[in-house]
Amino acid sequence: MLCVIVPLCALFTITQQVTPRDRCVCELANSEQPFPHDKLSIVEDNASKCNNKITSQKTLELESLMLGLERRLPQLQEDVSMLEKEDDGELYGVLSLHVIENEMKDIQVLIDRLNSTTLGHQRITTETAELLEDLKAEMEELEKFDTMHVVKRQQANLRLTRDLDTCRNGLHPTIQPTEPQHGNCPHGLFGNVTGPRVYTAGEYPGSYKYGAWGRDPKPEAGMESWYWLVMLTSSNKYSHYVRLYSSLSSLIVGVSVPGNIQIHSSNPTTNTIQGPNVVLYAGALYYNCYNLDAVCRFNLTTKTVTTLQLPKGTRYNSKGNFCHLEECYLFTDLDLATDESGVWVIYTTTQDFGNLVLSKVEDGEPPTLGQTWRTSVYKQGVTNTFMICGVLYATRYVSSEVEEIFYSFDTATGKEKFNLGIFIKKMSSNIESLNYSPVDHMLHAYCDSYMVSYKVLFE
Ligand SMILES: *[C@@H]1O[C@H](CO)[C@@H](O)[C@H](O)[C@H]1NC(C)=O
Ligand SMILES: *[C@@H]1O[C@H](CO)[C@@H](O)[C@H](O)[C@H]1NC(C)=O
Ligand SMILES: *[C@@H]1O[C@H](CO)[C@@H](O)[C@H](O)[C@H]1NC(C)=O
Ligand SMILES: *[C@@H]1O[C@H](CO)[C@@H](O)[C@H](O)[C@H]1NC(C)=O
């Protein structure tokens, strides 16, 4: 019987024996040491543990606390100088002292949280640095087994490919497309968003999946730094109050001084908030009224509600929702939005075959429906919309980590674009509400009970 042996280069020395019973036995003597697979898998495990320890969530926590402090300190300074002005030689204003005492308490809470976060980070950094040193040494040890220099050559190839790319790009610099400046937008054309700037679970971590939050673009005097929050507390569909916070840091640490401003003690009932896409503008909350194809305006000062009837055929009661392939967002028939010019409502109607319709909400007693624009984008293929400088933007779901701002409609020119390609890095799968705040150029998103914001970048 013939035995065919493939010569394995110099790696193996092979002896061949023929046993008396016509059997062929090959003896393989490997001149190399066996590859330590177990060691590699330990290194792999340690590396992935290392990755899990340092999440973007941890750095964000620090960032949002810092941002909170950054906003809080000038406020304190202002209040102290106010107090100094009140000094009539002997007595300070009791009221201002009280305000400052509360401010100090809030700041103390922030500093304590910052301290524990920082200490935690220091610990992680030291541990991780040690781990990385160990891993590096271990990998260098393992590299000795690469006798054929496969890894080394791969690395060299990678370097060469990179060099080639740089070379090519150097020869043909990318030509920037020239975009006509949008006349209505003083800051320029909306071009991109940053990564998350604020990311917080707020006062009720994980309690309410649907909601909205943000800032009033036209606040009443003395409420310039206030934030509002609406959570759909009843079956992810309805809410009956707005919760106010006197600053971003109060919202993050969960201290609401004015507390709730209630529309009605029952929920749901007439004038209940239905659906998450609500906005606060000029001291009034605009939202989809309970069981109606209408916009409600709740005046936070007078606690009265006025309604604005939408055209016949408007889809409501969860019949014209925002959706992606996996699910639709309940009761998102009406999306209220704010921009530099005021309040807008985005919805769809039967006669528009489910395409997005956009109307300006004109202020007044009662508010009225202004000019209306019809688009050619199907609402169920969109996950949310917002307005910047009179331009409507729509998002779609790409993956649980990424949402894409893909569409725009310019109300000044009627021009539509379907290929914007601006990506939002999500902190959880779903964005239940999304709105632009013209006061600080932030996009405020409510994502599966988290409050997240992104800075808008203009070109
Ligand atoms: C992997 O981690 C464990 C525990 O953290 C440590 O004892 C071990 O030395 C590490 N091994 C390597 C190869 O880095
Ligand atoms: C930070 O925390 C540590 C340990 O809990 C404590 O010793 C230290 O005084 C704290 N520092 C500040 C500024 O609060
Ligand atoms: C937007 O910003 C991200 C990161 O900040 C960047 O990777 C991306 O290329 C930018 N997109 C555009 C369209 O400029
Ligand atoms: C709320 O009511 C007050 C008092 O009538 C009024 O001055 C204010 O303009 C109202 N706000 C809105 C947004 O209608």
Side-chain angles (χ1 to χ4, degrees):
M1 192 179 184
L2 192 68
C3 216
V4 180
I5 297 151
V6 182
L8 290 171
C9 312
L11 271 180
F12 310 111
T13 45
I14 297 141
T15 17
Q16 194 182 1
Q17 289 176 341
V18 179
T19 61
R21 275 194 292 160
D22 244 14
R23 273 177 53 199
C24 183
V25 175
C26 296
E27 213 168 71
L28 254 173
N30 189 350
S31 65
E32 299 287 317
Q33 278 175 282
F35 183 80
H37 286 285
D38 47 342
K39 254 191 186 164
L40 181 65
S41 81
I42 293 176
V43 170
E44 255 174 0
D45 277 358
N46 283 6
S48 83
K49 268 184 222 148
C50 208
N51 274 342
N52 289 341
K53 258 191 196 166
I54 306 173
T55 57
S56 57
Q57 195 167 328
K58 292 220 166 76
T59 50
L60 270 171
E61 199 179 317
L62 194 65
E63 230 178 77
S64 58
L65 283 168
M66 289 299 285
L67 192 67
L69 266 181
E70 198 181 293
R71 301 258 167 104
R72 210 66 212 234
L73 292 174
Q75 182 69 43
L76 181 68
Q77 204 170 14
E78 208 173 280
D79 289 342
V80 169
S81 68
M82 177 99 79
L83 179 73
E84 279 164 0
K85 276 192 216 117
E86 282 169 13
D87 174 21
D88 63 0
E90 285 179 22
L91 281 172
Y92 284 113
V94 175
L95 202 63
S96 297
L97 261 180
H98 189 64
V99 167
I100 287 167
E101 198 186 330
N102 279 336
E103 287 269 320
M104 295 291 286
K105 270 189 208 143
D106 282 2
I107 289 173
Q108 190 58 49
V109 171
L110 271 177
I111 287 177
D112 288 347
R113 281 183 52 174
L114 201 56
N115 188 17
S116 63
T117 312
T118 317
L119 287 175
H121 282 195
Q122 273 167 3
R123 210 177 43 242
I124 290 173
T125 311
T126 330
E127 282 172 13
T128 315
E130 277 170 20
L131 254 175
L132 282 177
E133 276 303 318
D134 289 352
L135 287 175
K136 195 173 154 220
E138 205 63 40
M139 283 312 282
E140 274 165 8
E141 198 61 36
L142 287 176
E143 218 175 88
K144 287 190 191 136
F145 287 89
D146 184 24
T147 50
M148 319 263 291
H149 299 291
V150 176
V151 176
K152 277 210 184 102
R153 263 177 219 151
Q154 270 175 355
Q155 283 168 349
N157 276 347
L158 219 64
R159 259 198 306 277
L160 280 174
T161 317
R162 249 198 323 263
D163 288 353
L164 192 62
D165 275 352
T166 343
C167 200
R168 277 205 193 111
N169 290 340
L171 281 174
H172 306 285
T174 46
I175 297 152
Q176 293 296 324
T178 45
E179 277 285 345
Q181 192 82 2
H182 191 268
N184 292 344
C185 207
H187 356 283
L189 196 74
F190 166 52
N192 208 347
V193 293
T194 63
R197 281 295 157 86
V198 174
Y199 171 55
T200 178
E203 198 175 348
Y204 306 95
S207 296
Y208 305 108
K209 186 171 189 271
Y210 280 70
W213 72 294
R215 284 178 80 167
D216 186 341
K218 201 179 158 192
E220 282 167 24
M223 292 168 84
E224 289 82 3
S225 61
W226 287 44
Y227 281 75
W228 58 269
L229 169 65
V230 168
M231 297 160 288
L232 301 192
T233 52
S234 171
S235 10
N236 289 337
K237 295 174 192 161
Y238 314 116
S239 177
H240 60 139
Y241 64 85
V242 190
R243 194 154 173 82
L244 296 176
Y245 297 90
S246 59
S247 65
L248 180 62
S249 47
S250 310
L251 177 116
I252 291 170
V253 298
V255 179
S256 170
V257 174
N260 297 346
I261 312 287
Q262 206 173 67
I263 298 169
H264 195 280
S265 54
S266 303
N267 180 19
T269 181
T270 314
N271 295 337
T272 290
I273 301 166
Q274 177 165 296
N277 283 300
V278 309
V279 295
L280 192 75
Y281 187 83
L285 190 79
Y286 291 79
Y287 59 93
N288 184 180
C289 325
Y290 173 63
N291 200 23
L292 285 180
D293 47 352
V295 173
C296 268
R297 184 183 67 189
F298 171 60
N299 187 323
L300 267 62
T301 314
T302 58
K303 298 192 172 51
T304 50
V305 175
T306 35
T307 56
L308 161 60
Q309 179 63 46
L310 290 173
K312 241 195 168 66
T314 294
R315 310 287 291 165
Y316 69 110
N317 278 349
S318 220
K319 295 211 177 69
N321 289 331
F322 287 131
C323 301
H324 59 83
L325 290 178
E326 303 298 325
E327 70 172 298
C328 285
Y329 298 117
L330 294 181
F331 292 89
T332 52
D333 305 272
L334 265 56
D335 181 7
L336 279 304
T338 55
D339 75 349
E340 288 72 6
S341 67
V343 181
W344 301 79
V345 57
I346 297 112
Y347 54 102
T348 187
T349 70
T350 309
Q351 57 272 28
D352 289 293
F353 308 106
N355 286 348
L356 282 183
V357 176
L358 167 70
S359 296
K360 187 87 210 323
V361 175
E362 302 295 349
D363 231 353
E365 282 300 334
T368 52
L369 206 61
Q371 200 177 342
T372 293
W373 291 265
R374 313 200 126 72
T375 75
S376 52
V377 67
Y378 188 52
K379 189 164 182 232
Q380 288 196 7
V382 163
T383 47
N384 223 300
T385 61
F386 58 90
M387 297 290 299
I388 301 179
C389 296
V391 180
L392 172 76
Y393 295 91
T395 61
R396 66 181 166 207
Y397 184 98
V398 176
S399 70
S400 57
E401 285 96 37
V402 177
E403 200 89 354
E404 182 190 357
I405 302 168
F406 75 102
Y407 171 85
S408 70
F409 179 93
D410 190 334
T411 57
T413 60
K415 206 172 149 218
E416 290 184 294
K417 284 186 194 167
F418 283 88
N419 56 352
L420 296 190
I422 299 168
F423 296 95
I424 302 179
K425 183 179 177 290
K426 285 188 283 188
M427 303 306 289
S428 43
S429 296
N430 300 299
I431 297 179
E432 283 81 14
S433 73
L434 185 65
N435 190 43
Y436 166 68
S437 158
V439 276
D440 49 10
H441 303 159
M442 297 290 248
L443 274 183
H444 295 289
Y446 191 94
C447 308
D448 296 336
S449 89
Y450 285 96
M451 287 169 271
V452 190
S453 66
Y454 304 85
K455 185 103 185 155
V456 168
L457 302 173
F458 294 97
E459 280 166 1

